[in-house]
Amino acid sequence: MIYILLVNYNQWENTIECLDSITRNSNHNYKIILVDNASKNESADKIILWLRAQTIQFTLYKKEKDNTIIPIDN
């Protein structure tokens, strides 16, 4: 099992491009951990919409201003 850790900060387009590349891989023995680093734009919402459209099971985490990391309901 391979774990892939991605961190997003206001760059949802790049994050989605990376996720798309990973999910097109024929090796499906991986889990993706994605953390939104307190983006100031709609990054988390855009990423969630893309993931839902792909029917990918996911949990997106968000870093809060006090540095706590919480899961975002999806």
Side-chain angles (χ1 to χ4, degrees), residues 6-40:
L6 298 175
V7 178
N8 176 74
Y9 180 70
N10 293 329
Q11 298 292 320
W12 62 269
E13 299 97 337
N14 294 336
T15 301
I16 288 174
E17 185 177 333
C18 183
L19 288 167
D20 185 50
S21 177
I22 292 168
T23 57
R24 282 187 278 122
N25 185 332
S26 61
N27 178 0
H28 295 287
N29 193 22
Y30 61 82
K31 291 194 183 253
I32 301 170
I33 300 168
L34 174 58
V35 177
D36 183 76
N37 196 12
S39 291
K40 307 224 183 294

Side-chain angles (χ1 to χ4, degrees), residues 59-71:
T59 302
L60 177 64
Y61 295 87
K62 181 171 185 166
K63 182 178 175 188
E64 297 290 311
K65 291 180 182 178
D66 65 357
N67 290 326
T68 58
I69 297 177
I70 60 167

